[in-house]
PDB file of all heavy atoms in Angstrom:
ATOM      1  N   ALA A   1       0.810  -1.209   0.002  1.00 89.00           N
ATOM      2  CA  ALA A   1       0.010  -0.014  -0.004  1.00 89.00           C
ATOM      3  C   ALA A   1       0.878   1.244  -0.002  1.00 89.00           C
ATOM      4  O   ALA A   1       0.593   2.237  -0.700  1.00 89.00           O
ATOM      5  CB  ALA A   1      -0.943   0.009   1.180  1.00 89.00           C
ATOM      6  N   ASN A   2       1.953   1.198   0.773  1.00 92.00           N
ATOM      7  CA  ASN A   2       2.911   2.352   0.795  1.00 92.00           C
ATOM      8  C   ASN A   2       3.599   2.513  -0.557  1.00 92.00           C
ATOM      9  O   ASN A   2       3.756   3.648  -1.015  1.00 92.00           O
ATOM     10  CB  ASN A   2       3.913   2.131   1.880  1.00 92.00           C
ATOM     11  CG  ASN A   2       3.400   2.404   3.258  1.00 92.00           C
ATOM     12  OD1 ASN A   2       2.368   3.026   3.444  1.00 92.00           O
ATOM     13  ND2 ASN A   2       4.097   1.854   4.259  1.00 92.00           N
ATOM     14  N   TYR A   3       3.971   1.425  -1.185  1.00 90.00           N
ATOM     15  CA  TYR A   3       4.560   1.528  -2.528  1.00 90.00           C
ATOM     16  C   TYR A   3       3.578   2.106  -3.521  1.00 90.00           C
ATOM     17  O   TYR A   3       3.939   2.915  -4.359  1.00 90.00           O
ATOM     18  CB  TYR A   3       4.997   0.117  -3.025  1.00 90.00           C
ATOM     19  CG  TYR A   3       6.301  -0.359  -2.449  1.00 90.00           C
ATOM     20  CD1 TYR A   3       6.432  -1.658  -2.039  1.00 90.00           C
ATOM     21  CD2 TYR A   3       7.384   0.462  -2.334  1.00 90.00           C
ATOM     22  CE1 TYR A   3       7.634  -2.152  -1.531  1.00 90.00           C
ATOM     23  CE2 TYR A   3       8.596   0.002  -1.821  1.00 90.00           C
ATOM     24  CZ  TYR A   3       8.705  -1.292  -1.394  1.00 90.00           C
ATOM     25  OH  TYR A   3       9.898  -1.767  -0.898  1.00 90.00           O
ATOM     26  N   HIS A   4       2.311   1.738  -3.411  1.00 91.00           N
ATOM     27  CA  HIS A   4       1.279   2.268  -4.280  1.00 91.00           C
ATOM     28  C   HIS A   4       1.165   3.791  -4.123  1.00 91.00           C
ATOM     29  O   HIS A   4       1.113   4.540  -5.095  1.00 91.00           O
ATOM     30  CB  HIS A   4      -0.090   1.593  -3.989  1.00 91.00           C
ATOM     31  CG  HIS A   4      -1.215   2.099  -4.865  1.00 91.00           C
ATOM     32  ND1 HIS A   4      -1.229   1.873  -6.199  1.00 91.00           N
ATOM     33  CD2 HIS A   4      -2.303   2.815  -4.526  1.00 91.00           C
ATOM     34  CE1 HIS A   4      -2.343   2.417  -6.697  1.00 91.00           C
ATOM     35  NE2 HIS A   4      -3.021   3.020  -5.716  1.00 91.00           N
ATOM     36  N   GLU A   5       1.137   4.264  -2.875  1.00 93.00           N
ATOM     37  CA  GLU A   5       1.071   5.721  -2.635  1.00 93.00           C
ATOM     38  C   GLU A   5       2.333   6.419  -3.139  1.00 93.00           C
ATOM     39  O   GLU A   5       2.244   7.512  -3.703  1.00 93.00           O
ATOM     40  CB  GLU A   5       0.896   5.945  -1.144  1.00 93.00           C
ATOM     41  CG  GLU A   5      -0.501   5.597  -0.638  1.00 93.00           C
ATOM     42  CD  GLU A   5      -0.681   5.837   0.846  1.00 93.00           C
ATOM     43  OE1 GLU A   5       0.027   6.703   1.419  1.00 93.00           O
ATOM     44  OE2 GLU A   5      -1.544   5.163   1.438  1.00 93.00           O
ATOM     45  N   LYS A   6       3.477   5.783  -2.909  1.00 92.00           N
ATOM     46  CA  LYS A   6       4.717   6.397  -3.397  1.00 92.00           C
ATOM     47  C   LYS A   6       4.743   6.514  -4.917  1.00 92.00           C
ATOM     48  O   LYS A   6       5.116   7.543  -5.477  1.00 92.00           O
ATOM     49  CB  LYS A   6       5.922   5.544  -2.942  1.00 92.00           C
ATOM     50  CG  LYS A   6       7.259   6.088  -3.367  1.00 92.00           C
ATOM     51  CD  LYS A   6       8.406   5.230  -2.847  1.00 92.00           C
ATOM     52  CE  LYS A   6       9.749   5.777  -3.282  1.00 92.00           C
ATOM     53  NZ  LYS A   6      10.856   4.943  -2.818  1.00 92.00           N
ATOM     54  N   LEU A   7       4.206   5.513  -5.581  1.00 91.00           N
ATOM     55  CA  LEU A   7       4.152   5.557  -7.050  1.00 91.00           C
ATOM     56  C   LEU A   7       3.187   6.624  -7.527  1.00 91.00           C
ATOM     57  O   LEU A   7       3.408   7.260  -8.545  1.00 91.00           O
ATOM     58  CB  LEU A   7       3.754   4.172  -7.619  1.00 91.00           C
ATOM     59  CG  LEU A   7       4.886   3.146  -7.538  1.00 91.00           C
ATOM     60  CD1 LEU A   7       4.339   1.743  -7.804  1.00 91.00           C
ATOM     61  CD2 LEU A   7       6.017   3.505  -8.471  1.00 91.00           C
ATOM     62  N   LEU A   8       2.084   6.852  -6.813  1.00 91.00           N
ATOM     63  CA  LEU A   8       1.172   7.940  -7.172  1.00 91.00           C
ATOM     64  C   LEU A   8       1.872   9.282  -7.078  1.00 91.00           C
ATOM     65  O   LEU A   8       1.705  10.173  -7.927  1.00 91.00           O
ATOM     66  CB  LEU A   8      -0.073   7.886  -6.297  1.00 91.00           C
ATOM     67  CG  LEU A   8      -1.020   6.719  -6.513  1.00 91.00           C
ATOM     68  CD1 LEU A   8      -2.178   6.728  -5.492  1.00 91.00           C
ATOM     69  CD2 LEU A   8      -1.569   6.756  -7.926  1.00 91.00           C
ATOM     70  N   VAL A   9       2.636   9.477  -5.988  1.00 93.00           N
ATOM     71  CA  VAL A   9       3.374  10.710  -5.805  1.00 93.00           C
ATOM     72  C   VAL A   9       4.422  10.918  -6.918  1.00 93.00           C
ATOM     73  O   VAL A   9       4.569  11.977  -7.487  1.00 93.00           O
ATOM     74  CB  VAL A   9       4.042  10.799  -4.409  1.00 93.00           C
ATOM     75  CG1 VAL A   9       4.993  11.980  -4.275  1.00 93.00           C
ATOM     76  CG2 VAL A   9       2.955  10.840  -3.320  1.00 93.00           C
ATOM     77  N   LEU A  10       5.140   9.820  -7.223  1.00 92.00           N
ATOM     78  CA  LEU A  10       6.134   9.876  -8.288  1.00 92.00           C
ATOM     79  C   LEU A  10       5.503  10.179  -9.633  1.00 92.00           C
ATOM     80  O   LEU A  10       6.045  10.969 -10.406  1.00 92.00           O
ATOM     81  CB  LEU A  10       6.929   8.547  -8.359  1.00 92.00           C
ATOM     82  CG  LEU A  10       7.949   8.337  -7.239  1.00 92.00           C
ATOM     83  CD1 LEU A  10       8.474   6.894  -7.278  1.00 92.00           C
ATOM     84  CD2 LEU A  10       9.062   9.339  -7.355  1.00 92.00           C
ATOM     85  N   ASP A  11       4.355   9.564  -9.942  1.00 92.00           N
ATOM     86  CA  ASP A  11       3.680   9.822 -11.211  1.00 92.00           C
ATOM     87  C   ASP A  11       3.246  11.292 -11.287  1.00 92.00           C
ATOM     88  O   ASP A  11       3.349  11.918 -12.355  1.00 92.00           O
ATOM     89  CB  ASP A  11       2.463   8.918 -11.356  1.00 92.00           C
ATOM     90  CG  ASP A  11       2.856   7.487 -11.709  1.00 92.00           C
ATOM     91  OD1 ASP A  11       3.980   7.286 -12.204  1.00 92.00           O
ATOM     92  OD2 ASP A  11       2.029   6.556 -11.492  1.00 92.00           O
ATOM     93  N   SER A  12       2.785  11.869 -10.174  1.00 93.00           N
ATOM     94  CA  SER A  12       2.424  13.290 -10.162  1.00 93.00           C
ATOM     95  C   SER A  12       3.633  14.176 -10.404  1.00 93.00           C
ATOM     96  O   SER A  12       3.581  15.128 -11.173  1.00 93.00           O
ATOM     97  CB  SER A  12       1.751  13.616  -8.817  1.00 93.00           C
ATOM     98  OG  SER A  12       1.503  14.978  -8.742  1.00 93.00           O
ATOM     99  N   ALA A  13       4.736  13.867  -9.740  1.00 92.00           N
ATOM    100  CA  ALA A  13       5.986  14.639  -9.927  1.00 92.00           C
ATOM    101  C   ALA A  13       6.476  14.511 -11.362  1.00 92.00           C
ATOM    102  O   ALA A  13       6.918  15.509 -11.976  1.00 92.00           O
ATOM    103  CB  ALA A  13       7.054  14.167  -8.946  1.00 92.00           C
ATOM    104  N   ILE A  14       6.385  13.332 -11.949  1.00 90.00           N
ATOM    105  CA  ILE A  14       6.841  13.125 -13.317  1.00 90.00           C
ATOM    106  C   ILE A  14       5.956  13.936 -14.267  1.00 90.00           C
ATOM    107  O   ILE A  14       6.462  14.559 -15.208  1.00 90.00           O
ATOM    108  CB  ILE A  14       6.817  11.605 -13.659  1.00 90.00           C
ATOM    109  CG1 ILE A  14       7.995  10.900 -12.957  1.00 90.00           C
ATOM    110  CG2 ILE A  14       6.916  11.396 -15.183  1.00 90.00           C
ATOM    111  CD1 ILE A  14       7.966   9.398 -13.034  1.00 90.00           C
ATOM    112  N   ALA A  15       4.674  13.922 -14.016  1.00 92.00           N
ATOM    113  CA  ALA A  15       3.744  14.689 -14.895  1.00 92.00           C
ATOM    114  C   ALA A  15       4.057  16.187 -14.823  1.00 92.00           C
ATOM    115  O   ALA A  15       4.103  16.863 -15.857  1.00 92.00           O
ATOM    116  CB  ALA A  15       2.312  14.425 -14.489  1.00 92.00           C
ATOM    117  N   ASP A  16       4.349  16.689 -13.614  1.00 92.00           N
ATOM    118  CA  ASP A  16       4.699  18.115 -13.485  1.00 92.00           C
ATOM    119  C   ASP A  16       5.993  18.437 -14.198  1.00 92.00           C
ATOM    120  O   ASP A  16       6.098  19.421 -14.923  1.00 92.00           O
ATOM    121  CB  ASP A  16       4.833  18.494 -12.006  1.00 92.00           C
ATOM    122  CG  ASP A  16       3.511  18.547 -11.275  1.00 92.00           C
ATOM    123  OD1 ASP A  16       2.450  18.615 -11.954  1.00 92.00           O
ATOM    124  OD2 ASP A  16       3.508  18.538 -10.035  1.00 92.00           O
ATOM    125  N   LEU A  17       7.025  17.571 -14.003  1.00 89.00           N
ATOM    126  CA  LEU A  17       8.286  17.824 -14.679  1.00 89.00           C
ATOM    127  C   LEU A  17       8.194  17.723 -16.196  1.00 89.00           C
ATOM    128  O   LEU A  17       8.812  18.471 -16.908  1.00 89.00           O
ATOM    129  CB  LEU A  17       9.349  16.855 -14.138  1.00 89.00           C
ATOM    130  CG  LEU A  17       9.859  17.159 -12.736  1.00 89.00           C
ATOM    131  CD1 LEU A  17      10.704  16.012 -12.223  1.00 89.00           C
ATOM    132  CD2 LEU A  17      10.665  18.442 -12.750  1.00 89.00           C
ATOM    133  N   ARG A  18       7.374  16.777 -16.685  1.00 88.00           N
ATOM    134  CA  ARG A  18       7.185  16.684 -18.147  1.00 88.00           C
ATOM    135  C   ARG A  18       6.501  17.912 -18.695  1.00 88.00           C
ATOM    136  O   ARG A  18       6.824  18.354 -19.807  1.00 88.00           O
ATOM    137  CB  ARG A  18       6.384  15.419 -18.465  1.00 88.00           C
ATOM    138  CG  ARG A  18       7.238  14.157 -18.247  1.00 88.00           C
ATOM    139  CD  ARG A  18       6.469  12.907 -18.600  1.00 88.00           C
ATOM    140  NE  ARG A  18       6.175  12.845 -19.994  1.00 88.00           N
ATOM    141  CZ  ARG A  18       5.283  12.037 -20.512  1.00 88.00           C
ATOM    142  NH1 ARG A  18       4.663  11.162 -19.748  1.00 88.00           N
ATOM    143  NH2 ARG A  18       5.051  12.027 -21.800  1.00 88.00           N
ATOM    144  N   ALA A  19       5.537  18.467 -17.954  1.00 90.00           N
ATOM    145  CA  ALA A  19       4.894  19.669 -18.404  1.00 90.00           C
ATOM    146  C   ALA A  19       5.886  20.834 -18.470  1.00 90.00           C
ATOM    147  O   ALA A  19       5.891  21.615 -19.429  1.00 90.00           O
ATOM    148  CB  ALA A  19       3.734  20.043 -17.470  1.00 90.00           C
ATOM    149  N   GLN A  20       6.708  20.948 -17.460  1.00 89.00           N
ATOM    150  CA  GLN A  20       7.726  22.002 -17.431  1.00 89.00           C
ATOM    151  C   GLN A  20       8.773  21.788 -18.555  1.00 89.00           C
ATOM    152  O   GLN A  20       9.210  22.742 -19.193  1.00 89.00           O
ATOM    153  CB  GLN A  20       8.421  22.067 -16.073  1.00 89.00           C
ATOM    154  CG  GLN A  20       7.552  22.607 -14.973  1.00 89.00           C
ATOM    155  CD  GLN A  20       8.284  22.560 -13.613  1.00 89.00           C
ATOM    156  OE1 GLN A  20       9.499  22.450 -13.545  1.00 89.00           O
ATOM    157  NE2 GLN A  20       7.524  22.642 -12.552  1.00 89.00           N
ATOM    158  N   ALA A  21       9.160  20.564 -18.752  1.00 84.00           N
ATOM    159  CA  ALA A  21      10.109  20.256 -19.836  1.00 84.00           C
ATOM    160  C   ALA A  21       9.500  20.539 -21.182  1.00 84.00           C
ATOM    161  O   ALA A  21      10.231  20.881 -22.107  1.00 84.00           O
ATOM    162  CB  ALA A  21      10.601  18.832 -19.729  1.00 84.00           C
ATOM    163  N   GLY A  22       8.187  20.387 -21.318  1.00 82.00           N
ATOM    164  CA  GLY A  22       7.530  20.682 -22.569  1.00 82.00           C
ATOM    165  C   GLY A  22       7.582  22.173 -22.881  1.00 82.00           C
ATOM    166  O   GLY A  22       7.647  22.572 -24.052  1.00 82.00           O
ATOM    167  N   LEU A  23       7.555  23.003 -21.830  1.00 86.00           N
ATOM    168  CA  LEU A  23       7.642  24.436 -22.035  1.00 86.00           C
ATOM    169  C   LEU A  23       9.080  24.896 -22.343  1.00 86.00           C
ATOM    170  O   LEU A  23       9.275  25.885 -23.020  1.00 86.00           O
ATOM    171  CB  LEU A  23       7.140  25.169 -20.780  1.00 86.00           C
ATOM    172  CG  LEU A  23       5.674  24.994 -20.465  1.00 86.00           C
ATOM    173  CD1 LEU A  23       5.338  25.637 -19.134  1.00 86.00           C
ATOM    174  CD2 LEU A  23       4.798  25.527 -21.554  1.00 86.00           C
ATOM    175  N   ASN A  24      10.045  24.163 -21.808  1.00 82.00           N
ATOM    176  CA  ASN A  24      11.465  24.514 -22.021  1.00 82.00           C
ATOM    177  C   ASN A  24      12.240  23.234 -22.274  1.00 82.00           C
ATOM    178  O   ASN A  24      12.931  22.708 -21.398  1.00 82.00           O
ATOM    179  CB  ASN A  24      11.975  25.235 -20.765  1.00 82.00           C
ATOM    180  CG  ASN A  24      13.345  25.821 -20.957  1.00 82.00           C
ATOM    181  OD1 ASN A  24      13.923  25.713 -22.039  1.00 82.00           O
ATOM    182  ND2 ASN A  24      13.880  26.452 -19.915  1.00 82.00           N
ATOM    183  N   PRO A  25      12.166  22.712 -23.472  1.00 79.00           N
ATOM    184  CA  PRO A  25      12.747  21.415 -23.814  1.00 79.00           C
ATOM    185  C   PRO A  25      14.256  21.317 -23.643  1.00 79.00           C
ATOM    186  O   PRO A  25      14.763  20.237 -23.392  1.00 79.00           O
ATOM    187  CB  PRO A  25      12.370  21.183 -25.280  1.00 79.00           C
ATOM    188  CG  PRO A  25      11.404  22.216 -25.627  1.00 79.00           C
ATOM    189  CD  PRO A  25      11.489  23.308 -24.643  1.00 79.00           C
TER     190      PRO A  25
END
C-alpha cells in the first residue's frame, strides 16, 4: 500500500516535470 502511494506521488511529480520540460525542452 505504501509503494502504491509512493508511485502515485512519483507519477504526479513526473507529470509536473514533463509539463515544465515541454515548455522549455
Side-chain angles (χ1 to χ4, degrees):
N2 286 340
Y3 282 138
H4 180 68
E5 288 180 25
K6 182 179 179 181
L7 287 168
L8 291 175
V9 171
L10 286 170
D11 286 339
S12 175
I14 288 171
D16 288 343
L17 286 170
R18 288 180 65 195
Q20 290 177 17
L23 295 174
N24 190 359

